[in-house]
Coordinates of all heavy atoms in Angstrom, one line a residue:
Chain A
Y124 N 2.7 -12.0 6.2 CA 3.8 -11.4 5.4 C 3.9 -9.9 5.9 O 3.0 -9.3 6.1 CB 3.5 -11.5 4.0 CG 3.7 -12.8 3.4 CD1 2.7 -13.8 3.6 CD2 4.8 -13.1 2.6 CE1 3.0 -15.1 3.1 CE2 5.1 -14.4 2.2 CZ 4.2 -15.4 2.4 OH 4.4 -16.6 1.9
F126 N 5.8 -6.2 4.7 CA 6.2 -5.4 3.5 C 6.7 -4.0 4.0 O 6.3 -3.4 4.9 CB 5.0 -5.2 2.5 CG 4.4 -6.5 2.1 CD1 3.5 -7.1 2.8 CD2 4.7 -6.9 0.8 CE1 2.9 -8.3 2.4 CE2 4.1 -8.1 0.4 CZ 3.2 -8.7 1.2
Y128 N 7.1 -0.3 1.7 CA 6.9 0.4 0.5 C 7.4 1.8 0.6 O 7.4 2.4 1.7 CB 5.4 0.5 0.1 CG 4.8 -0.7 -0.5 CD1 4.3 -1.7 0.5 CD2 4.8 -1.1 -1.7 CE1 3.7 -2.9 0.1 CE2 4.2 -2.3 -2.2 CZ 3.6 -3.2 -1.2 OH 3.1 -4.3 -1.7
Q130 N 6.9 5.7 -1.1 CA 6.1 6.5 -1.9 C 6.7 7.9 -2.1 O 6.7 8.7 -1.3 CB 4.7 6.7 -1.2 CG 3.7 7.4 -2.1 CD 2.4 7.5 -1.5 OE1 2.2 7.8 -0.3 NE2 1.3 7.2 -2.2
P132 N 7.2 11.7 -4.0 CA 6.2 12.7 -4.2 C 5.2 12.5 -5.4 O 4.1 13.0 -5.4 CB 7.1 14.0 -4.4 CG 8.3 13.7 -3.7 CD 8.5 12.3 -3.8
S133 N 5.7 11.7 -6.4 CA 4.8 11.4 -7.5 C 3.7 10.6 -7.1 O 2.7 10.5 -7.9 CB 5.7 10.7 -8.7 OG 6.3 9.7 -8.0
G134 N 3.7 9.9 -6.0 CA 2.5 9.2 -5.5 C 2.4 7.7 -5.6 O 1.6 7.0 -5.0
L136 N 3.4 3.8 -5.3 CA 4.0 2.9 -4.3 C 5.0 2.0 -4.9 O 4.8 1.2 -5.8 CB 2.9 2.1 -3.6 CG 2.1 2.7 -2.5 CD1 1.0 1.8 -2.0 CD2 2.9 3.2 -1.4
R141 N 9.5 -7.9 0.9 CA 8.5 -8.7 1.5 C 9.2 -9.8 2.2 O 10.2 -10.4 1.9 CB 7.6 -9.4 0.4 CG 6.6 -10.4 0.9 CD 5.8 -11.0 -0.2 NE 6.6 -12.0 -0.9 CZ 6.5 -12.4 -2.2 NH1 5.6 -11.7 -2.9 NH2 7.3 -13.2 -2.7
F182 N 6.1 3.3 4.0 CA 5.1 2.5 4.7 C 5.4 1.1 4.9 O 6.0 0.5 4.1 CB 3.8 2.5 3.7 CG 3.1 3.8 3.6 CD1 3.5 4.6 2.4 CD2 2.1 4.2 4.5 CE1 2.7 5.9 2.4 CE2 1.5 5.5 4.3 CZ 1.9 6.2 3.2
S186 N 0.1 -8.5 5.8 CA -1.0 -9.3 5.2 C -1.0 -10.7 5.9 O 0.1 -11.2 6.2 CB -0.9 -9.4 3.7 OG 0.1 -10.4 3.4
V188 N -2.4 -14.6 6.2 CA -2.5 -15.7 5.3 C -3.9 -16.4 5.7 O -4.1 -16.8 6.8 CB -1.4 -16.8 5.3 CG1 -1.8 -17.9 4.4 CG2 -0.1 -16.1 5.0
L189 N -4.8 -16.5 4.7 CA -6.1 -17.1 5.0 C -5.9 -18.6 5.2 O -4.9 -19.2 4.9 CB -7.0 -16.8 3.7 CG -7.2 -15.2 3.5 CD1 -8.0 -15.1 2.2 CD2 -7.9 -14.6 4.7
G192 N -4.6 -20.6 2.5 CA -3.2 -20.4 2.1 C -3.0 -19.1 1.3 O -1.9 -18.7 1.1
A193 N -4.2 -18.5 0.8 CA -4.1 -17.3 0.0 C -3.8 -16.1 1.0 O -4.1 -16.2 2.2 CB -5.3 -17.1 -0.8
N194 N -3.3 -15.1 0.4 CA -3.1 -13.8 1.1 C -4.3 -13.1 1.3 O -5.2 -13.2 0.4 CB -2.0 -13.1 0.5 CG -2.2 -12.7 -1.0 OD1 -2.4 -13.7 -1.7 ND2 -2.1 -11.6 -1.4
S195 N -4.4 -12.3 2.3 CA -5.6 -11.4 2.5 C -5.1 -10.0 2.2 O -4.0 -9.7 1.6 CB -6.0 -11.5 4.0 OG -5.0 -10.9 4.8
K196 N -6.0 -9.0 2.5 CA -5.7 -7.6 2.2 C -4.6 -7.1 3.0 O -4.3 -7.6 4.1 CB -7.0 -6.8 2.4 CG -7.6 -7.0 3.8 CD -9.0 -6.4 3.9 CE -9.6 -6.5 5.3 NZ -9.8 -7.9 5.7
L197 N -3.9 -6.1 2.5 CA -2.8 -5.4 3.1 C -3.3 -4.4 4.1 O -4.2 -3.5 3.8 CB -1.9 -4.6 2.1 CG -0.7 -5.4 1.5 CD1 -0.2 -4.5 0.4 CD2 0.2 -5.9 2.5
F199 N -1.8 -1.2 6.2 CA -0.7 -0.3 6.2 C -0.6 0.5 7.6 O -1.5 0.7 8.3 CB -0.9 0.8 5.1 CG -0.6 0.3 3.8 CD1 -1.6 -0.3 3.0 CD2 0.6 0.4 3.2 CE1 -1.3 -0.8 1.7 CE2 0.9 -0.1 1.9 CZ -0.1 -0.7 1.2
G200 N 0.7 0.8 7.9 CA 0.9 1.7 8.9 C 0.6 3.2 8.4 O 0.4 3.3 7.2
K201 N 0.8 4.2 9.3 CA 0.5 5.5 8.8 C 1.6 6.2 8.0 O 1.4 7.3 7.5 CB 0.2 6.4 10.1 CG -1.1 6.0 10.8 CD -1.4 7.0 12.0 CE -2.7 6.6 12.6 NZ -3.1 7.5 13.6
Chain B
R650 N -5.0 9.5 -14.6 CA -3.8 9.8 -13.6 C -4.2 11.0 -12.8 O -4.0 10.9 -11.5 CB -2.6 10.0 -14.4 CG -1.3 10.2 -13.4 CD -0.9 8.8 -12.9 NE 0.2 9.0 -12.0 CZ 0.2 9.3 -10.7 NH1 -1.0 9.4 -10.1 NH2 1.3 9.4 -10.0
K672 N -7.4 -11.5 -6.9 CA -7.7 -10.5 -5.9 C -7.3 -9.1 -6.3 O -6.2 -8.9 -6.7 CB -6.8 -10.9 -4.5 CG -7.3 -12.2 -3.9 CD -6.6 -12.5 -2.7 CE -7.1 -13.8 -1.9 NZ -7.0 -15.0 -2.7
Y674 N -7.8 -4.8 -5.1 CA -8.2 -3.9 -4.0 C -8.2 -2.3 -4.5 O -7.5 -2.0 -5.4 CB -7.1 -3.9 -2.9 CG -6.6 -5.4 -2.6 CD1 -5.7 -6.2 -3.5 CD2 -7.1 -6.1 -1.5 CE1 -5.4 -7.4 -3.1 CE2 -6.8 -7.4 -1.3 CZ -5.9 -8.0 -2.1 OH -5.6 -9.3 -1.8
Y676 N -7.5 1.4 -2.5 CA -7.2 2.1 -1.3 C -7.4 3.6 -1.5 O -7.2 4.1 -2.7 CB -5.7 1.9 -1.0 CG -5.3 0.5 -0.4 CD1 -5.2 -0.6 -1.2 CD2 -5.3 0.3 0.9 CE1 -4.9 -1.8 -0.7 CE2 -5.1 -0.9 1.5 CZ -4.8 -2.0 0.6 OH -4.7 -3.3 1.2
Q678 N -6.2 7.4 -0.2 CA -5.2 8.1 0.5 C -5.3 9.6 0.4 O -5.1 10.2 -0.7 CB -3.8 7.7 0.0 CG -2.6 8.3 0.8 CD -1.3 7.9 0.2 OE1 -1.2 7.7 -1.0 NE2 -0.3 7.8 1.0
M682 N -1.2 11.3 3.9 CA -2.0 10.5 5.0 C -1.8 9.0 4.7 O -1.3 8.6 3.6 CB -3.4 10.8 5.0 CG -3.7 12.4 5.4 SD -3.3 12.9 7.0 CE -4.7 12.1 7.8
E683 N -2.3 8.3 5.7 CA -2.3 6.8 5.6 C -3.2 6.2 4.5 O -4.0 7.0 4.0 CB -2.5 6.1 6.8 CG -3.9 6.4 7.4 CD -4.0 5.9 8.8 OE1 -4.0 4.8 9.1 OE2 -4.2 6.9 9.7
L684 N -3.0 5.1 4.0 CA -3.7 4.4 3.1 C -4.9 3.5 3.8 O -4.5 2.8 4.7 CB -3.0 3.4 2.2 CG -1.9 4.0 1.3 CD1 -0.6 4.0 1.9 CD2 -2.0 3.3 0.0
L686 N -8.1 0.9 3.1 CA -8.8 0.0 2.2 C -10.2 0.4 2.1 O -10.9 0.4 3.1 CB -8.6 -1.4 2.6 CG -9.3 -2.5 1.7 CD1 -8.5 -2.6 0.4 CD2 -9.3 -3.8 2.5
Y689 N -12.6 -4.3 -1.8 CA -11.7 -5.5 -2.4 C -12.6 -6.5 -3.0 O -13.8 -6.6 -2.8 CB -10.8 -6.0 -1.3 CG -11.5 -6.7 -0.1 CD1 -11.7 -8.1 -0.1 CD2 -12.0 -6.0 1.0 CE1 -12.2 -8.7 1.0 CE2 -12.5 -6.5 2.0 CZ -12.7 -7.9 2.1 OH -13.3 -8.5 3.2
Y691 N -12.2 -10.8 -4.3 CA -11.5 -11.9 -4.3 C -11.9 -12.8 -5.6 O -11.4 -13.9 -5.7 CB -11.7 -12.8 -3.1 CG -10.9 -12.3 -1.8 CD1 -11.2 -12.9 -0.6 CD2 -10.1 -11.2 -2.0 CE1 -10.7 -12.5 0.5 CE2 -9.4 -10.8 -0.9 CZ -9.6 -11.3 0.4 OH -9.0 -10.9 1.5
D700 N -12.1 -1.4 5.2 CA -12.1 -1.0 6.5 C -12.7 0.4 6.7 O -13.1 0.8 7.7 CB -10.6 -1.1 7.1 CG -10.0 -2.4 6.9 OD1 -10.8 -3.4 7.2 OD2 -8.8 -2.6 6.6
Q729 N -6.3 10.6 -3.3 CA -5.7 9.8 -4.3 C -6.2 8.4 -4.1 O -6.4 7.9 -3.0 CB -4.1 9.7 -4.1 CG -3.5 8.6 -5.0 CD -2.0 8.8 -5.3 OE1 -1.6 9.2 -6.4 NE2 -1.1 8.5 -4.2
L731 N -5.8 4.4 -5.1 CA -4.7 3.4 -5.5 C -5.4 2.1 -5.7 O -6.1 1.6 -4.8 CB -3.5 3.3 -4.5 CG -2.5 4.6 -4.6 CD1 -1.8 4.6 -3.3 CD2 -1.6 4.3 -5.7
S735 N -3.2 -8.8 -6.1 CA -2.3 -9.6 -5.4 C -2.2 -11.1 -6.1 O -3.3 -11.5 -6.6 CB -2.5 -9.8 -3.9 OG -3.8 -10.3 -3.7
D736 N -1.1 -11.7 -6.1 CA -0.9 -13.0 -6.7 C -0.9 -14.0 -5.6 O -0.7 -13.8 -4.4 CB 0.4 -13.0 -7.6 CG 1.6 -12.7 -6.7 OD1 1.8 -13.4 -5.7 OD2 2.4 -11.8 -7.0
G738 N 1.4 -15.8 -4.7 CA 2.7 -15.9 -4.2 C 2.8 -14.8 -3.0 O 4.0 -14.6 -2.5
H739 N 1.7 -14.2 -2.7 CA 1.7 -13.2 -1.7 C 2.4 -11.8 -2.0 O 2.9 -11.1 -1.2 CB 2.3 -13.7 -0.4 CG 1.5 -15.0 0.1 ND1 0.4 -14.9 0.7 CD2 2.0 -16.3 -0.1 CE1 0.0 -16.2 0.9 NE2 0.9 -17.0 0.5
G740 N 2.4 -11.5 -3.4 CA 2.9 -10.3 -3.8 C 1.9 -9.3 -4.2 O 0.8 -9.8 -4.7
Y741 N 2.0 -8.1 -4.0 CA 1.0 -7.1 -4.4 C 1.6 -6.2 -5.4 O 2.8 -5.8 -5.3 CB 0.6 -6.3 -3.1 CG 0.0 -7.0 -2.1 CD1 0.6 -7.9 -1.2 CD2 -1.5 -7.1 -2.0 CE1 0.1 -8.7 -0.3 CE2 -2.1 -7.9 -1.0 CZ -1.4 -8.7 -0.2 OH -2.0 -9.4 0.8
F743 N 0.8 -2.4 -7.3 CA 0.0 -1.2 -7.3 C 0.0 -0.5 -8.5 O 1.1 -0.5 -9.2 CB 0.5 -0.3 -6.1 CG 0.1 -0.7 -4.8 CD1 0.8 -1.8 -4.1 CD2 -1.1 -0.2 -4.2 CE1 0.3 -2.2 -2.8 CE2 -1.5 -0.6 -2.9 CZ -0.8 -1.5 -2.2
R748 N -5.3 10.8 -9.0 CA -5.5 11.9 -8.1 C -6.7 12.7 -8.4 O -6.8 13.2 -9.5 CB -4.3 12.9 -8.1 CG -3.0 12.3 -7.5 CD -1.9 13.3 -7.5 NE -0.6 12.9 -7.2 CZ 0.0 12.9 -6.0 NH1 -0.6 13.5 -5.0 NH2 1.2 12.4 -5.8

Side-chain angles (χ1 to χ4, degrees):
Chain A
Y124 284 80
F126 302 77
Y128 287 89
Q130 188 176 45
S133 53
L136 280 175
R141 178 182 72 212
F182 290 94
S186 76
V188 178
L189 303 173
N194 51 307
S195 69
K196 50 194 185 293
L197 270 176
F199 285 87
K201 292 186 176 182
Chain B
R650 184 73 177 91
K672 295 181 173 63
Y674 313 85
Y676 286 85
Q678 183 183 31
M682 303 289 282
E683 61 193 293
L684 292 100
L686 180 71
Y689 62 99
Y691 284 173
D700 305 320
Q729 171 160 253
L731 285 158
S735 61
D736 61 53
H739 307 281
Y741 295 80
F743 281 84
R748 289 187 192 258

